[in-house]
Each structure stands twice: as structure tokens, then as C-alpha cells.
Coordinates of all heavy atoms in Angstrom, one line a residue:
M1159 N 34.0 84.0 -93.6 CA 35.3 84.7 -93.8 C 35.4 85.9 -92.8 O 36.3 86.6 -92.8 CB 35.3 85.2 -95.2 CG 36.6 85.8 -95.6 SD 36.9 86.1 -97.3 CE 35.4 87.0 -97.8
A1160 N 34.5 86.0 -91.9 CA 34.6 87.0 -90.8 C 34.7 88.5 -91.3 O 35.3 89.3 -90.6 CB 35.8 86.7 -89.9
G1161 N 34.3 88.8 -92.5 CA 34.3 90.1 -92.9 C 35.6 90.7 -93.3 O 35.8 91.9 -93.3
Y1162 N 36.5 89.9 -93.7 CA 37.8 90.4 -94.1 C 37.7 91.0 -95.5 O 37.1 90.5 -96.4 CB 38.9 89.3 -94.2 CG 39.3 88.8 -92.8 CD1 38.9 87.6 -92.3 CD2 40.1 89.6 -92.0 CE1 39.2 87.2 -91.1 CE2 40.4 89.2 -90.7 CZ 40.0 88.0 -90.3 OH 40.4 87.5 -89.0
S1163 N 38.4 92.2 -95.7 CA 38.4 92.9 -96.9 C 39.4 92.2 -97.9 O 40.3 91.6 -97.4 CB 38.7 94.4 -96.8 OG 40.1 94.5 -96.5
L1164 N 39.1 92.4 -99.1 CA 40.1 91.8 -100.1 C 41.4 92.5 -100.0 O 42.5 91.8 -100.1 CB 39.5 92.1 -101.6 CG 40.4 91.6 -102.7 CD1 40.6 90.1 -102.6 CD2 39.8 91.9 -104.0
N1165 N 41.5 93.7 -99.6 CA 42.8 94.4 -99.5 C 43.6 93.8 -98.3 O 44.8 93.6 -98.4 CB 42.6 95.9 -99.2 CG 42.2 96.7 -100.4 OD1 42.4 96.2 -101.5 ND2 41.6 97.8 -100.2
L1166 N 42.9 93.5 -97.2 CA 43.6 92.9 -96.1 C 44.1 91.5 -96.4 O 45.2 91.1 -96.1 CB 42.7 92.8 -94.8 CG 43.3 92.2 -93.6 CD1 44.6 92.9 -93.1 CD2 42.3 92.0 -92.5
M1167 N 43.2 90.7 -97.1 CA 43.6 89.4 -97.5 C 44.8 89.4 -98.4 O 45.8 88.6 -98.3 CB 42.5 88.6 -98.1 CG 41.4 88.3 -97.0 SD 40.1 87.1 -97.6 CE 39.4 88.0 -99.0
L1168 N 44.8 90.3 -99.4 CA 46.0 90.4 -100.3 C 47.2 90.9 -99.6 O 48.3 90.4 -99.9 CB 45.6 91.3 -101.5 CG 44.5 90.8 -102.4 CD1 44.2 91.9 -103.4 CD2 45.0 89.6 -103.1
A1169 N 47.1 91.9 -98.7 CA 48.2 92.4 -97.9 C 48.8 91.3 -97.1 O 50.0 91.1 -97.0 CB 47.8 93.6 -97.1
N1170 N 48.0 90.5 -96.4 CA 48.4 89.4 -95.6 C 49.1 88.3 -96.5 O 50.2 87.8 -96.1 CB 47.2 88.7 -94.8 CG 47.7 87.6 -94.0 OD1 47.5 86.4 -94.5 ND2 48.2 87.8 -92.8
K1171 N 48.5 88.0 -97.6 CA 49.1 87.0 -98.5 C 50.5 87.4 -99.0 O 51.4 86.6 -99.2 CB 48.1 86.7 -99.7 CG 48.6 85.6 -100.5 CD 47.5 85.2 -101.6 CE 48.0 84.0 -102.4 NZ 46.9 83.6 -103.3
S1172 N 50.7 88.7 -99.3 CA 51.9 89.1 -99.8 C 53.0 89.4 -98.8 O 54.2 89.6 -99.1 CB 51.7 90.4 -100.7 OG 51.3 91.5 -99.9
A1173 N 52.6 89.5 -97.5 CA 53.5 89.7 -96.4 C 54.3 88.5 -96.1 O 54.0 87.4 -96.5 CB 52.7 90.2 -95.2
D1174 N 55.4 88.7 -95.4 CA 56.4 87.6 -95.0 C 55.7 86.8 -93.9 O 55.6 87.2 -92.8 CB 57.7 88.3 -94.5 CG 58.7 87.2 -94.2 OD1 58.4 86.0 -94.2 OD2 59.9 87.6 -94.0
G1175 N 55.4 85.5 -94.3 CA 54.8 84.6 -93.4 C 55.6 84.2 -92.2 O 55.1 83.5 -91.3
K1176 N 56.9 84.6 -92.2 CA 57.8 84.2 -91.1 C 57.4 85.1 -89.9 O 57.8 84.8 -88.7 CB 59.2 84.4 -91.4 CG 59.7 83.4 -92.5 CD 61.1 83.7 -92.9 CE 61.5 82.7 -94.0 NZ 62.8 83.1 -94.5
H1177 N 56.8 86.2 -90.1 CA 56.4 87.1 -89.0 C 55.2 86.5 -88.3 O 54.2 86.1 -88.9 CB 56.0 88.5 -89.5 CG 57.2 89.3 -90.1 ND1 58.1 89.9 -89.3 CD2 57.6 89.5 -91.3 CE1 59.1 90.4 -90.0 NE2 58.8 90.2 -91.3
I1178 N 55.2 86.5 -87.0 CA 54.2 85.9 -86.2 C 52.8 86.5 -86.4 O 51.8 85.8 -86.5 CB 54.6 85.8 -84.7 CG1 53.6 84.9 -83.9 CG2 54.6 87.2 -84.1 CD1 53.7 83.5 -84.2
G1179 N 52.8 87.8 -86.6 CA 51.5 88.5 -86.8 C 50.9 88.1 -88.2 O 49.7 88.0 -88.3
V1180 N 51.7 88.0 -89.1 CA 51.3 87.6 -90.5 C 50.7 86.1 -90.4 O 49.7 85.8 -91.0 CB 52.4 87.7 -91.5 CG1 52.0 87.1 -92.9 CG2 52.8 89.2 -91.7
A1181 N 51.5 85.3 -89.7 CA 51.0 83.9 -89.6 C 49.7 83.8 -88.8 O 48.8 83.0 -89.2 CB 52.1 83.1 -88.8
L1182 N 49.6 84.7 -87.8 CA 48.3 84.7 -87.1 C 47.2 85.2 -88.1 O 46.1 84.6 -88.1 CB 48.4 85.7 -86.0 CG 47.1 86.1 -85.2 CD1 46.5 84.8 -84.5 CD2 47.3 87.2 -84.2
G1183 N 47.5 86.2 -88.9 CA 46.5 86.6 -89.8 C 46.0 85.5 -90.8 O 44.8 85.4 -91.0
R1184 N 47.0 84.8 -91.3 CA 46.7 83.7 -92.2 C 45.8 82.7 -91.6 O 44.8 82.2 -92.2 CB 47.9 83.1 -92.8 CG 48.6 84.1 -93.7 CD 49.9 83.5 -94.3 NE 50.5 84.6 -95.2 CZ 51.7 84.5 -95.6 NH1 52.5 83.5 -95.4 NH2 52.2 85.5 -96.4
Q1185 N 46.1 82.3 -90.4 CA 45.3 81.3 -89.7 C 43.9 81.9 -89.3 O 42.9 81.1 -89.5 CB 46.0 80.8 -88.4 CG 45.5 79.5 -87.9 CD 45.6 78.4 -88.9 OE1 46.6 78.2 -89.5 NE2 44.5 77.7 -89.1
C1186 N 43.8 83.1 -88.9 CA 42.5 83.7 -88.6 C 41.6 83.8 -89.8 O 40.4 83.6 -89.8 CB 42.7 85.1 -87.9 SG 43.3 84.9 -86.2
I1187 N 42.2 84.2 -90.9 CA 41.5 84.3 -92.2 C 40.9 83.0 -92.6 O 39.8 82.8 -92.9 CB 42.3 85.0 -93.3 CG1 42.6 86.5 -93.0 CG2 41.7 84.8 -94.7 CD1 43.6 87.1 -93.8
K1188 N 41.8 82.0 -92.5 CA 41.4 80.6 -92.8 C 40.3 80.1 -91.9 O 39.4 79.4 -92.4 CB 42.7 79.7 -92.7 CG 42.5 78.3 -93.2 CD 43.9 77.6 -93.1 CE 43.8 76.2 -93.7 NZ 45.1 75.6 -93.7
A1189 N 40.4 80.4 -90.6 CA 39.4 79.9 -89.6 C 38.2 80.8 -89.5 O 37.3 80.4 -88.8 CB 40.1 79.7 -88.3
G1190 N 38.2 82.0 -90.1 CA 37.1 82.9 -90.0 C 37.0 83.6 -88.7 O 35.9 83.9 -88.2
V1191 N 38.1 83.8 -88.0 CA 38.1 84.5 -86.7 C 38.2 86.0 -87.0 O 39.1 86.4 -87.7 CB 39.3 84.0 -85.9 CG1 39.4 84.8 -84.6 CG2 39.2 82.5 -85.6
S1192 N 37.4 86.8 -86.4 CA 37.3 88.2 -86.7 C 38.5 89.0 -86.0 O 39.0 88.5 -85.0 CB 36.0 88.8 -86.2 OG 36.0 88.8 -84.8
V1193 N 38.8 90.1 -86.6 CA 39.8 91.0 -86.1 C 39.4 91.4 -84.7 O 40.2 91.5 -83.8 CB 40.0 92.2 -87.0 CG1 40.8 93.3 -86.3 CG2 40.7 91.7 -88.3
S1194 N 38.1 91.7 -84.5 CA 37.6 92.1 -83.2 C 37.9 91.1 -82.1 O 38.3 91.4 -81.0 CB 36.2 92.4 -83.2 OG 35.9 93.6 -84.0
S1195 N 37.7 89.8 -82.5 CA 37.9 88.7 -81.5 C 39.4 88.6 -81.2 O 39.7 88.4 -80.0 CB 37.5 87.4 -82.1 OG 36.1 87.3 -82.3
V1196 N 40.2 88.8 -82.2 CA 41.7 88.7 -81.9 C 42.1 89.9 -81.0 O 42.9 89.7 -80.1 CB 42.5 88.7 -83.2 CG1 44.0 88.7 -83.0 CG2 42.1 87.5 -84.1
A1197 N 41.6 91.0 -81.3 CA 41.9 92.2 -80.5 C 41.5 92.0 -79.1 O 42.3 92.4 -78.2 CB 41.3 93.5 -81.1
E1198 N 40.3 91.5 -78.9 CA 39.8 91.3 -77.5 C 40.7 90.3 -76.8 O 41.1 90.4 -75.7 CB 38.4 90.9 -77.6 CG 37.7 90.7 -76.2 CD 36.3 90.4 -76.3 OE1 35.6 91.1 -77.1 OE2 35.8 89.5 -75.6
R1199 N 41.0 89.2 -77.5 CA 41.8 88.1 -76.9 C 43.2 88.6 -76.4 O 43.6 88.2 -75.4 CB 42.0 87.0 -77.9 CG 42.8 85.8 -77.3 CD 42.9 84.7 -78.3 NE 43.5 83.5 -77.7 CZ 42.8 82.5 -77.1 NH1 41.5 82.5 -77.2 NH2 43.4 81.5 -76.6
F1200 N 43.8 89.5 -77.2 CA 45.2 89.9 -76.9 C 45.2 91.3 -76.2 O 46.3 91.9 -76.0 CB 46.1 89.8 -78.1 CG 46.3 88.4 -78.5 CD1 45.6 87.9 -79.6 CD2 47.1 87.5 -77.8 CE1 45.8 86.6 -80.1 CE2 47.3 86.2 -78.2 CZ 46.6 85.8 -79.3
N1201 N 44.0 91.8 -76.0 CA 43.9 93.1 -75.3 C 44.6 94.3 -76.0 O 45.4 95.0 -75.4 CB 44.3 93.0 -73.8 CG 43.8 94.2 -73.0 OD1 42.7 94.8 -73.3 ND2 44.6 94.6 -72.0
V1202 N 44.4 94.3 -77.3 CA 45.0 95.3 -78.2 C 43.9 95.9 -79.1 O 42.8 95.4 -79.1 CB 46.1 94.8 -79.1 CG1 47.3 94.3 -78.2 CG2 45.6 93.7 -80.0
S1203 N 44.2 97.0 -79.8 CA 43.2 97.6 -80.7 C 43.1 96.8 -81.9 O 44.0 96.0 -82.3 CB 43.6 99.0 -81.0 OG 44.8 99.0 -81.8
R1204 N 42.0 97.0 -82.6 CA 41.8 96.3 -83.9 C 42.9 96.8 -84.9 O 43.3 96.0 -85.7 CB 40.4 96.6 -84.5 CG 39.3 95.9 -83.7 CD 38.0 96.2 -84.3 NE 37.9 97.6 -84.7 CZ 36.9 98.3 -85.1 NH1 35.7 97.7 -85.2 NH2 36.9 99.5 -85.4
Q1205 N 43.2 98.1 -84.8 CA 44.3 98.6 -85.7 C 45.6 97.8 -85.5 O 46.3 97.5 -86.5 CB 44.5 100.1 -85.5 CG 45.4 100.7 -86.6 CD 45.0 100.5 -88.0 OE1 43.9 100.8 -88.3 NE2 45.8 99.9 -88.8
T1206 N 45.9 97.5 -84.3 CA 47.1 96.8 -84.0 C 47.0 95.4 -84.7 O 48.0 94.9 -85.3 CB 47.3 96.6 -82.5 OG1 47.5 97.9 -81.9 CG2 48.5 95.7 -82.1
V1207 N 45.9 94.8 -84.6 CA 45.7 93.4 -85.2 C 45.9 93.6 -86.7 O 46.6 92.8 -87.4 CB 44.3 92.8 -84.9 CG1 44.1 91.5 -85.6 CG2 44.2 92.6 -83.4
Y1208 N 45.3 94.6 -87.3 CA 45.5 94.8 -88.8 C 46.9 95.0 -89.1 O 47.5 94.4 -90.1 CB 44.7 96.0 -89.3 CG 43.2 95.9 -89.4 CD1 42.3 96.6 -88.6 CD2 42.7 95.0 -90.3 CE1 41.0 96.4 -88.7 CE2 41.3 94.8 -90.4 CZ 40.5 95.5 -89.6 OH 39.1 95.4 -89.7
N1209 N 47.7 95.7 -88.3 CA 49.1 95.9 -88.5 C 49.9 94.6 -88.4 O 50.8 94.4 -89.1 CB 49.6 97.0 -87.5 CG 49.2 98.4 -87.9 OD1 48.8 98.7 -89.0 ND2 49.2 99.3 -86.9
W1210 N 49.5 93.8 -87.4 CA 50.1 92.5 -87.3 C 49.9 91.7 -88.5 O 50.8 91.1 -89.1 CB 49.6 91.7 -86.1 CG 49.9 92.2 -84.7 CD1 50.9 93.1 -84.4 CD2 49.4 91.8 -83.5 NE1 50.9 93.3 -83.0 CE2 50.0 92.5 -82.5 CE3 48.3 90.8 -83.2 CZ2 49.7 92.3 -81.1 CZ3 48.0 90.7 -81.9 CH2 48.7 91.4 -80.9
F1211 N 48.6 91.6 -89.0 CA 48.2 90.8 -90.1 C 49.0 91.2 -91.4 O 49.3 90.3 -92.2 CB 46.7 90.8 -90.4 CG 45.8 90.0 -89.4 CD1 46.3 89.5 -88.2 CD2 44.5 89.9 -89.7 CE1 45.5 88.8 -87.4 CE2 43.7 89.1 -88.9 CZ 44.2 88.6 -87.7
E1212 N 49.2 92.5 -91.5 CA 49.9 93.0 -92.7 C 51.4 93.0 -92.6 O 52.1 93.3 -93.5 CB 49.4 94.4 -93.0 CG 47.9 94.4 -93.4 CD 47.4 95.8 -93.6 OE1 48.2 96.8 -93.6 OE2 46.2 95.9 -93.8
G1213 N 51.9 92.6 -91.4 CA 53.4 92.6 -91.2 C 54.0 93.9 -90.9 O 55.2 94.1 -91.0
R1214 N 53.2 94.9 -90.6 CA 53.7 96.3 -90.4 C 54.3 96.4 -89.0 O 55.2 97.3 -88.8 CB 52.6 97.3 -90.5 CG 52.0 97.5 -91.9 CD 50.9 98.5 -91.9 NE 50.3 98.5 -93.2 CZ 49.7 99.5 -93.7 NH1 49.6 100.7 -93.0 NH2 49.1 99.4 -94.9
V1215 N 53.8 95.7 -88.1 CA 54.2 95.7 -86.7 C 54.4 94.3 -86.2 O 53.6 93.4 -86.5 CB 53.1 96.4 -85.8 CG1 53.5 96.4 -84.3 CG2 52.9 97.9 -86.3
T1216 N 55.4 94.1 -85.4 CA 55.7 92.8 -84.8 C 55.3 92.8 -83.4 O 55.7 93.7 -82.6 CB 57.2 92.4 -85.0 OG1 57.5 92.4 -86.3 CG2 57.4 91.0 -84.4
P1217 N 54.5 91.8 -82.9 CA 54.1 91.8 -81.5 C 55.3 91.6 -80.6 O 56.3 91.0 -81.0 CB 53.2 90.6 -81.4 CG 52.8 90.3 -82.8 CD 53.9 90.8 -83.7
N1218 N 55.2 92.2 -79.4 CA 56.4 92.0 -78.5 C 56.5 90.5 -78.1 O 55.6 89.7 -78.4 CB 56.2 92.9 -77.2 CG 55.1 92.5 -76.3 OD1 54.9 91.3 -76.0 ND2 54.3 93.4 -75.9
N1219 N 57.6 90.1 -77.5 CA 57.9 88.7 -77.3 C 56.9 88.0 -76.4 O 56.5 86.9 -76.7 CB 59.3 88.6 -76.7 CG 60.4 88.8 -77.7 OD1 60.2 88.8 -78.9 ND2 61.6 89.2 -77.2
Q1220 N 56.4 88.7 -75.4 CA 55.4 88.1 -74.5 C 54.1 87.8 -75.3 O 53.6 86.7 -75.2 CB 55.1 89.0 -73.3 CG 54.2 88.4 -72.3 CD 53.9 89.3 -71.1 OE1 54.5 90.4 -71.0 NE2 53.1 88.9 -70.2
V1221 N 53.6 88.7 -76.0 CA 52.4 88.5 -76.8 C 52.7 87.5 -77.9 O 51.8 86.6 -78.2 CB 51.9 89.8 -77.4 CG1 50.7 89.6 -78.4 CG2 51.6 90.8 -76.3
A1222 N 53.9 87.5 -78.5 CA 54.2 86.5 -79.6 C 54.1 85.1 -79.1 O 53.6 84.2 -79.8 CB 55.6 86.8 -80.1
E1223 N 54.5 84.8 -77.8 CA 54.3 83.5 -77.3 C 52.9 83.1 -77.2 O 52.5 81.9 -77.5 CB 55.0 83.4 -75.9 CG 56.5 83.3 -76.0 CD 57.1 82.2 -76.9 OE1 56.6 81.1 -76.8 OE2 57.9 82.5 -77.8
S1224 N 52.0 84.0 -76.7 CA 50.6 83.7 -76.6 C 50.0 83.5 -78.0 O 49.1 82.7 -78.2 CB 49.9 84.9 -75.9 OG 50.3 85.0 -74.6
I1225 N 50.5 84.3 -79.0 CA 50.0 84.1 -80.4 C 50.3 82.8 -80.9 O 49.5 82.1 -81.6 CB 50.6 85.3 -81.3 CG1 49.9 86.6 -80.9 CG2 50.4 84.9 -82.7 CD1 50.5 87.8 -81.6
K1226 N 51.6 82.3 -80.7 CA 52.0 81.0 -81.1 C 51.0 79.9 -80.6 O 50.6 79.0 -81.3 CB 53.4 80.6 -80.7 CG 54.4 81.4 -81.5 CD 55.8 81.1 -80.9 CE 56.8 82.1 -81.6 NZ 58.2 81.9 -81.0
E1227 N 50.7 80.0 -79.3 CA 49.7 79.0 -78.7 C 48.4 79.1 -79.4 O 47.7 78.1 -79.6 CB 49.6 79.3 -77.2 CG 50.9 79.0 -76.4 CD 50.9 79.5 -75.0 OE1 49.8 79.8 -74.5 OE2 52.0 79.5 -74.4
Y1228 N 47.9 80.3 -79.6 CA 46.6 80.5 -80.2 C 46.6 80.0 -81.6 O 45.6 79.3 -82.0 CB 46.3 82.0 -80.2 CG 44.9 82.4 -80.7 CD1 43.8 81.8 -80.1 CD2 44.7 83.3 -81.7 CE1 42.5 82.1 -80.6 CE2 43.4 83.6 -82.2 CZ 42.3 83.0 -81.6 OH 41.0 83.2 -82.0
I1229 N 47.6 80.2 -82.4 CA 47.7 79.6 -83.8 C 47.6 78.1 -83.7 O 46.9 77.5 -84.5 CB 49.0 80.1 -84.5 CG1 49.0 81.6 -84.8 CG2 49.3 79.3 -85.7 CD1 50.3 82.2 -85.3
A1230 N 48.3 77.5 -82.8 CA 48.3 76.1 -82.6 C 46.9 75.6 -82.3 O 46.4 74.6 -82.9 CB 49.2 75.6 -81.6
T1231 N 46.2 76.3 -81.5 CA 44.8 76.0 -81.1 C 43.9 76.1 -82.4 O 43.1 75.2 -82.6 CB 44.3 76.9 -80.0 OG1 45.1 76.8 -78.9 CG2 42.8 76.7 -79.7
L1232 N 44.0 77.2 -83.1 CA 43.2 77.4 -84.3 C 43.5 76.3 -85.3 O 42.5 75.8 -86.0 CB 43.5 78.8 -85.0 CG 43.0 80.0 -84.2 CD1 43.5 81.2 -84.9 CD2 41.5 80.0 -84.1
K1233 N 44.8 75.9 -85.5 CA 45.1 74.8 -86.5 C 44.4 73.5 -86.0 O 43.9 72.8 -86.8 CB 46.6 74.7 -86.6 CG 47.3 75.7 -87.4 CD 48.8 75.5 -87.5 CE 49.4 76.6 -88.3 NZ 50.9 76.3 -88.4
H1234 N 44.5 73.2 -84.7 CA 43.9 72.0 -84.2 C 42.4 72.0 -84.4 O 41.8 71.0 -84.9 CB 44.2 71.9 -82.7 CG 43.6 70.7 -82.0 ND1 44.1 69.4 -82.2 CD2 42.5 70.6 -81.3 CE1 43.3 68.6 -81.5 NE2 42.3 69.3 -81.0
E1235 N 41.7 73.1 -84.1 CA 40.3 73.2 -84.3 C 39.9 73.1 -85.7 O 38.9 72.4 -86.0 CB 39.8 74.6 -83.7 CG 39.9 74.6 -82.2 CD 39.5 76.0 -81.6 OE1 39.2 76.9 -82.4 OE2 39.4 76.1 -80.4
H1236 N 40.7 73.7 -86.6 CA 40.4 73.7 -88.0 C 40.5 72.2 -88.6 O 39.7 71.7 -89.3 CB 41.3 74.6 -88.8 CG 40.9 74.7 -90.2 ND1 39.8 75.4 -90.7 CD2 41.5 74.3 -91.3 CE1 39.7 75.3 -92.0 NE2 40.8 74.7 -92.4
K1237 N 41.6 71.6 -88.1 CA 41.9 70.2 -88.6 C 40.8 69.3 -88.1 O 40.5 68.3 -88.8 CB 43.3 69.8 -88.0 CG 43.7 68.4 -88.4 CD 45.0 68.1 -87.9 CE 45.4 66.6 -88.2 NZ 46.8 66.3 -87.7
H1238 N 40.3 69.5 -86.9 CA 39.3 68.6 -86.4 C 37.8 69.1 -86.5 O 36.9 68.5 -86.0 CB 39.6 68.3 -84.9 CG 40.8 67.5 -84.7 ND1 42.1 68.1 -84.5 CD2 41.1 66.2 -84.7 CE1 43.0 67.2 -84.4 NE2 42.4 66.0 -84.5
G1239 N 37.7 70.2 -87.3 CA 36.3 70.7 -87.6 C 35.6 71.2 -86.3 O 34.4 71.1 -86.3
I1240 N 36.3 71.7 -85.4 CA 35.7 72.2 -84.1 C 35.2 73.6 -84.3 O 35.8 74.4 -84.9 CB 36.7 72.1 -83.0 CG1 37.2 70.7 -82.8 CG2 36.2 72.7 -81.7 CD1 38.3 70.5 -81.8

């Protein structure tokens, strides 16, 4: 579970899944990808990732496109047990 707190998981679950950051959070929680890994991948702070996961902040359009690709990769890996 990559060390996710119950509070973060509940905040993510109750947030609007239409937001790309929330969708990213759901997929990362499911796949066990750490906040630190996500922060490093997108060159942002961990706090930014937490804000995305909770739907407090929406990533800019350029980052959102990269996030969509990453979500697709995570779904593919999860589906195929990679």
C-alpha cells in the first residue's frame, strides 16, 4: 500500500474522481506507488502530489497529459501483473 495514511485514502475516495489528480491518486493507491515516486516522476513536491490526490489542486494542462499517460501505464501494469 506504499505507506498511504487512512486519511489520505479517505480524502481521495471522497474527492471527485473526474479530476485528473484524484484519478491519479486512486490508481497509485491501487498499484502501491508511493507519493515520493509520483513527485519525482513529475518533478513536483510531495505536498503537490497530496493536493492532487485530494482534489485540492488541479495539475496544469501539460502535466495533466503526462498524468493521463502514466495512469494508462499503471492500469496496464496492474491488469497484467507487471
